[in-house]
Amino acid sequence: MNVAVLISGRGSNLGALIAAGRRGDLGPARIAVVVSNRADADGLRVAQADGVDTLVIPHGDYPSREAYDAALVEALRKRDVRLVCLAGFMRLVSAVLCDAFPNAVLNIHPSLLPAFPGAGAQRQALEHGARVTGATVHFVTPELDAGPIVCQEVVPVTDTDTVETLSARILAVEHRLYPHAVRLVAEGGWRIAGRRVVRTTIAD
Ligand code: GRF
């Protein structure tokens, strides 16, 4: 199953996905292409170092979000992509992308959704005084950080945490959680019922 990873920056989750693929931990999923909306994204080098195909589609070249997403869809279809993973892709996606890949666009977010959606999730958790936060992998819908949840993991907040220390602990969890989620989704045996992702096969 060909997977595209969409990035805008650092690409540490991308690195974790590539490493998992190399270990055979992504099940049938194979990272076929990495797409960035920014030519200077460090993650492009992460992909190139591993010989993964990269593509830059600059958002400034398109008049609207829908036109941008249509260009993305065309590029992904050409590569027979079946699953799209947003990994620090700093753009809202439109129905054009979601409709082209129904129940096949994933995102990772650094909080336990629905708490603290949007930017600065780690800072939001600290400022709210939450005792636990975490990471969430969810299906993407045009509504920000609101799609059905595939998996989550809790990260405790300590009294001495700063945005930096909390972000680092959440990121370590993300690097484990995203490959796990991609494998679950790629292997199948699930369906979406309302807001819930439910298993249709019993694991051995
Ligand atoms: C991660 O914290 C992810 O949860 C959020 O953006 C950040 C991307 O980091 N969506 P990286 O580019 O994968 O290092």
Side-chain angles (χ1 to χ4, degrees), residues 7-15 43 86-90 107-111 122 135-136 167 170-171 174-175:
I7 63 165
S8 299
R10 179 174 60 182
S12 72
N13 278 289
L14 165 66
L86 312 188
F89 185 61
M90 301 305 283
N107 181 46
I108 187 155
H109 183 78
S111 76
Q122 304 92 332
T136 302
S167 299
I170 294 174
L171 195 63
E174 290 183 42
H175 293 167

Side-chain angles (χ1 to χ4, degrees), residues 5-15 34-47 87-91:
V5 183
L6 273 49
I7 63 165
S8 299
R10 179 174 60 182
S12 72
N13 278 289
L14 165 66
V34 172
V35 185
S36 175
N37 63 315
R38 302 178 57 105
D40 61 354
D42 287 336
L44 289 169
R45 286 196 287 277
V46 173
F89 185 61
M90 301 305 283
R91 287 184 58 78

Side-chain angles (χ1 to χ4, degrees), residues 109 111-118 124 136 144-147 149 152 195:
H109 183 78
S111 76
L112 295 175
L113 290 171
F116 314 127
Q124 292 185 55
T136 302
L144 179 68
D145 296 332
I149 291 169
Q152 296 185 296
R195 289 204 39 82

Side-chain angles (χ1 to χ4, degrees), residues 84-102:
V84 181
C85 296
L86 312 188
F89 185 61
M90 301 305 283
R91 287 184 58 78
L92 288 173
V93 300
S94 72
V96 171
L97 182 72
C98 298
D99 291 350
F101 292 95

